[in-house]
Amino acid sequence: MEHKGRTPWLPELSGQLREVDRLRRGGRYEQALALIRQLAEEHPTQLRVLLEVGLTLAIWGRAPEEALPWFDRVLEMAPGHLTTRLHRALTLARVGRHTEAVADFTTVESLGHRRLIILYVKRAESLRALDRHAEAERDWSKALLDDPGNPWLLQQRAQARARQGRLEEAIQDLTDALASEQEDTVDPELLRDRGALRAQLGDTAGARADFEAGISAFREGDPPQLLDSLRQGLQGTSAPR
């Protein structure tokens, strides 16, 4: 039976797609790509096959520009295919076409995709790239409704709020992010960010305390430039002699 005009699925393709996935996950990308391209030539109206060509190129082949036409072919036949539209949005964002990505993310949201937290995070990143910080903040807030207290999400929302000049709210987000972490795993980057905002508000003592705590919390494996920025922040809040 056809579903909304789509070509009926052929059961024998399921095993072939499992083989494509096995090859991809086993690091045999070229063989996987050759097989999925062959299947697409033999079954040019099978939406899932065309989608898998795009996914193979975009994810395993790291060739997002080459993947986009395959996603477009699926959407020409089935504009409401949410999984394809979501992957098209993700791929558009990867190649810097953020306005188009935002439009696709919004379409997916309006049609009710189940993986909304991924959508909010990725749309927020595209909105940030477009300097649409108020809208990005909205999406970080939506993501936090799905994952309350997530320190990374709180940090991202803090950055969006700071770019709008809402420094006190941004500081509160960073404070909440720090409170959600275990004492022995405090992220010095959060302390650096909060210290910088406190310095902007003229809270020199608070900023200095954050920079000092960040230096103390610096861990092996953290980027050296983070330590440099903490030291620079501390130096900038030191009282002149």
Side-chain angles (χ1 to χ4, degrees):
M1 295 289 292
E2 291 194 0
H3 177 61
K4 297 182 180 179
R6 301 178 191 175
T7 303
W9 180 247
L10 301 175
E12 59 269 25
L13 287 173
S14 297
Q16 292 170 299
L17 290 188
R18 284 195 294 271
E19 176 63 11
V20 170
D21 194 49
R22 187 186 70 80
L23 291 169
R24 293 185 307 207
R25 294 180 185 279
R28 298 159 69 182
Y29 166 71
E30 295 296 340
Q31 289 174 266
L33 182 61
L35 177 54
I36 195 61
R37 283 189 183 277
Q38 177 186 332
L39 292 174
E41 290 176 6
E42 295 171 355
H43 307 280
T45 60
Q46 287 288 351
L47 302 187
R48 186 178 166 195
V49 171
L50 302 182
L51 171 60
E52 290 294 337
V53 179
L55 293 178
T56 302
L57 288 163
I59 298 173
W60 279 269
R62 295 184 176 86
E65 291 281 10
E66 295 177 49
L68 283 169
W70 292 94
F71 298 143
D72 290 341
R73 283 178 61 179
V74 175
L75 293 172
E76 285 171 6
M77 291 185 281
H81 199 271
L82 290 187
T83 299
T84 299
R85 192 165 293 279
L86 176 60
H87 281 289
R88 181 177 186 268
L90 294 168
T91 305
L92 287 166
R94 284 180 62 192
V95 300
R97 292 164 60 180
H98 294 291
T99 299
E100 295 167 86
V102 168
D104 267 359
F105 284 130
T106 301
T107 297
V108 173
E109 181 186 33
S110 69
L111 294 173
H113 197 275
R114 66 186 184 278
R115 299 170 65 191
L116 286 176
I117 189 168
I118 294 175
L119 183 152
Y120 296 145
V121 166
K122 293 302 181 180
R123 185 170 64 184
E125 291 174 345
S126 283
L127 289 164
R128 178 173 58 198
L130 294 167
D131 291 327
R132 292 161 62 178
H133 301 299
E135 294 168 89
E137 181 202 347
R138 173 208 63 198
D139 276 349
W140 295 123
S141 295
K142 287 182 176 181
L144 280 161
L145 290 176
D146 282 352
D147 191 4
N150 182 300
W152 182 78
L153 292 174
L154 286 165
Q155 182 185 29
Q156 304 312 305
R157 188 172 70 176
Q159 291 174 1
R161 287 177 164 175
R163 288 186 176 99
Q164 297 173 73
R166 294 160 57 188
L167 303 188
E168 291 182 354
E169 292 171 89
I171 288 170
Q172 186 58 57
D173 272 346
L174 294 170
T175 300
D176 292 343
L178 286 161
S180 70
E181 296 196 322
Q182 299 295 325
E183 188 174 344
D184 59 347
T185 59
V186 173
D187 187 343
E189 186 176 333
L190 295 175
L191 289 163
R192 188 273 313 276
D193 290 356
R194 189 174 68 175
L197 295 178
R198 282 176 162 173
Q200 287 185 55
L201 283 177
D203 179 8
T204 302
R208 184 174 179 81
D210 277 344
F211 294 134
E212 288 176 340
I215 292 170
S216 297
F218 190 81
R219 304 156 296 193
E220 183 177 354
D222 284 333
Q225 57 268 31
L226 173 58
L227 183 58
D228 292 340
S229 63
L230 285 162
R231 287 172 172 164
Q232 289 170 7
L234 182 60
Q235 182 177 7
T237 56
S238 298
R241 296 181 178 180

